[in-house]
Amino acid sequence: MVSSTHGKDLRRLALSVLQPGFVGTDAPDWMLRDIGDGLASVVLFARNIVSIDQVARLTGRLRAENPELVIAIDEEAGDVTRIESATGSTRPGNFALGTVDDTDLTEAVAADLGRQLRAAGISLDYAPSADVNSNPDNPIIGVRSFGVDPKVVSRHTGAWIRGLQSAGVAACAKHFPGHGDVAVDSHHGLPTYGADREQIAAQALPPFRAALEAGVRAVMTGHLLVPAYDTELPATLSRRILDGLLRQELGFDGMVVTDAIEMGAVADRYGLGGATVRAVAAGADAVCVGGENAEEATVGLLADALVDAVAAGDLTEARLAEASGRVREFAAWSAGLSPVGPADTNGSRIGFAAARRAIRLTGAVQETVPLSAAPHVVELVPTTNLAIGKETPWGVAAPLVERLPGTTSVRVRDEDLRSRTATLETHALTPAAGRPLVVVVRDASRHGWMARALAEIVTARPDAIVVEMGLPGAPVPAAAQIFTHGATAASGVAAAEVLAGVR
């Protein structure tokens, strides 16, 4: 029989390894109570954010309950942005930075972001993505990666971590052991990385080794099956991967945090509680939850699952205590990080400069840009993965209107083409008669419908200019192509500047 005192201690341990989210721009009472009862971490999402000043007040209220509370955010400063979710990121993402391949620039962009996060009271950023995007059909990583070459990804992973942590915010390398060579989105299903150990060591692990060398003290697990190490359990739930590979082979002694535990790859198979228990038993120290399940009941469910697992012998109290200890060690270390330099309160000047440097042009550029008249812009819009906020704006039309008044635009989706005939003729080609035509795509090579629509448009208008805001694919027989290497607000502005010939 467990004593009431011991039961309370166990529950404090259980709460201390959770990193939950919540709804709203103010701290809910239940969250404050849980912090008082032992919760050691909180994660913020776009729904919690209105402005930097508001977030600073929110984090201050949360830390009033625990000065060393870890306050995390999933901010990649690229297509995946929370702090600028309503407006789009004023910094380019990883793929753009890898394209420029200037590690000093990458470090400076990350430091700029870090100063903004630090001013908001955030102490841990679930970034950078250290994944090597070796599979061009990867539905979840893409431009979130620094590139397809492990050497490029390694040096920029290290630079990004050094930059962020120089600003006083802890980095978190993800998604271990590497999510770049998969074809399934782990939000919905379980991806498999089928490489052998030698291939994994050469392809996926170098950026994580670089992260450790750069001083990263947090690593996020990936929800993917890696049969070379474990034929049954996803990496998040695999002791062979978290302890054997990450801790023993790579020598990592910091905090291991899971990717969101409610993601389909693990929750569909084991349930929220079951996945949480298995992750901690396997060697995870902190469990991220709340992107989708952000209620008080979720925290209670996970804490109860951990306490019950100890009572049932499915999880040792020693392992739970070890995990809690690593969270406390990380909290103390991250609280002691000192920022270097003030935050840029006027927007990210270096972010826009970096986005400009990432622009690449092909075709008859000199003959087509700057545009001689206000164009019609056709933006072909894909369905994005759940890591990218649906509310986050992207594209070229909006910044182009500011620079070339009279610019018109239309957005076309797959369902528009399926539900109506002559959509492209009516909405794309006819309004562009006698005017320049700009076609904006996002990962056209990954979306068959988009590639077909693009081909139809440029066949009718070979003088069209194509702007690709995702991964560059095969050349398109257009007048010119502009590659931004990401769909952030900064990248859209950089493309608009090229088209208009003005900043």
Side-chain angles (χ1 to χ4, degrees):
M1 183 175 177
V2 178
S3 70
S4 60
T5 300
H6 187 220
K8 290 179 181 179
D9 290 342
L10 269 181
R11 186 169 178 79
R12 287 191 72 86
L13 285 178
L15 283 170
S16 72
V17 304
L18 303 180
Q19 297 195 337
F22 59 93
V23 176
T25 54
D26 295 308
D29 290 341
W30 67 262
M31 178 67 73
L32 299 176
R33 286 195 302 271
D34 280 351
I35 294 171
D37 289 340
L39 188 70
S41 310
V42 171
V43 57
L44 302 182
F45 293 90
R47 62 179 178 240
N48 306 122
I49 296 167
V50 174
S51 67
I52 296 298
D53 288 344
Q54 168 264 324
V55 177
R57 291 191 296 273
L58 171 60
T59 56
R61 180 66 187 92
L62 291 166
R63 283 215 177 87
E65 303 297 322
N66 175 5
E68 289 194 350
L69 182 74
V70 175
I71 300 180
I73 195 169
D74 186 14
E75 175 58 60
E76 297 179 12
D79 289 22
V80 177
T81 179
R82 311 301 179 216
I83 206 79
E84 296 183 296
S85 185
T87 57
S89 177
T90 52
R91 304 169 184 89
N94 287 357
F95 197 72
L97 294 172
T99 297
V100 177
D101 200 12
D102 179 345
T103 53
D104 289 341
L105 179 67
T106 295
E107 188 168 338
V109 169
D112 182 61
L113 169 67
R115 286 189 287 270
Q116 186 180 38
L117 296 181
R118 175 80 183 201
I122 291 161
S123 57
L124 168 62
D125 187 6
Y126 294 147
S129 167
D131 307 294
V132 180
N133 196 62
S134 46
N135 185 343
D137 290 326
N138 192 321
I140 187 66
I141 301 301
V143 295
R144 300 168 66 192
S145 167
F146 288 110
V148 301
D149 183 342
K151 293 180 180 178
V152 172
V153 178
S154 294
R155 58 177 171 259
H156 288 277
T157 293
W160 210 95
I161 289 166
R162 288 191 298 273
L164 188 78
Q165 295 191 166
S166 75
V169 177
C172 177
K174 64 186 185 185
H175 307 81
F176 188 82
H179 214 302
D181 193 9
V182 301
V184 172
D185 183 346
S186 51
H187 288 92
H188 307 295
L190 179 62
T192 297
Y193 179 22
D196 61 31
R197 292 194 181 198
E198 185 176 336
Q199 291 172 313
I200 293 169
Q203 179 190 64
L205 295 183
F208 290 97
R209 293 186 185 277
L212 269 59
E213 291 171 5
V216 80
R217 296 288 295 275
V219 169
M220 176 175 279
T221 67
H223 299 327
L224 68 160
L225 195 67
V226 189
Y229 286 93
D230 196 321
T231 58
E232 297 180 2
L233 294 170
T236 296
L237 314 181
S238 172
R239 189 158 188 82
R240 295 174 186 174
I241 293 174
L242 300 190
D243 185 67
L245 178 57
L246 181 55
R247 295 221 184 272
Q248 304 304 321
E249 186 175 329
L250 270 62
F252 180 64
D253 64 355
M255 180 179 70
V256 176
V257 58
T258 73
D259 204 347
I261 207 69
E262 64 260 55
M263 290 168 64
V266 291
D268 286 354
R269 286 163 174 76
Y270 306 101
L272 288 180
T276 295
V277 169
R278 284 169 171 80
V280 175
D285 304 305
V287 176
C288 173
V289 68
E292 298 172 66
N293 299 72
E295 305 81 16
E296 178 182 7
T298 298
V299 178
L301 184 154
L302 300 191
D304 289 345
L306 290 167
V307 170
D308 291 346
V310 172
D314 297 326
L315 173 67
T316 67
E317 186 173 346
R319 167 80 273 269
L320 185 59
E322 178 187 47
S324 179
R326 283 215 181 91
V327 173
R328 288 197 305 273
E329 290 171 8
F330 176 86
W333 170 78
S334 61
L337 285 172
S338 299
V340 178
D344 183 354
T345 56
N346 297 314
S348 177
R349 287 182 289 267
I350 193 168
F352 285 103
R356 293 181 189 111
R357 289 183 60 185
I359 292 286
R360 298 291 183 270
L361 305 151
T362 64
V365 176
Q366 300 300 325
E367 301 171 16
T368 53
V369 295
L371 297 172
S372 58
H376 183 57
V377 180
V378 180
E379 295 179 334
L380 300 179
V381 182
T383 299
T384 55
N385 62 66
L386 288 177
I388 299 171
K390 294 186 186 307
E391 72 283 356
T392 304
W394 69 278
V396 176
L400 196 53
V401 167
E402 297 176 4
R403 290 157 180 80
L404 283 177
T407 294
T408 57
S409 66
V410 65
R411 296 204 127 194
V412 178
R413 295 168 174 79
D414 184 18
E415 56 266 31
D416 298 326
L417 300 178
R418 285 187 276 110
S419 63
R420 294 189 295 273
T421 58
T423 295
L424 293 180
E425 180 68 36
T426 302
H427 298 286
L429 296 173
T430 299
R435 305 168 56 192
L437 174 61
V438 177
V439 187
V440 183
V441 294
R442 190 172 182 177
D443 291 321
S445 62
R446 282 195 52 247
H447 302 282
W449 73 268
M450 189 182 297
R452 291 189 294 273
L454 178 59
E456 183 178 337
I457 293 172
V458 298
T459 296
R461 285 288 301 266
D463 64 327
I465 299 172
V466 176
V467 182
E468 172 60 83
M469 302 193 76
L471 292 175
V476 175
Q481 279 187 276
I482 300 173
F483 299 97
T484 63
H485 304 97
T488 70
S491 298
V493 166
E497 290 173 347
V498 171
L499 290 165
V502 295
R503 288 189 181 179

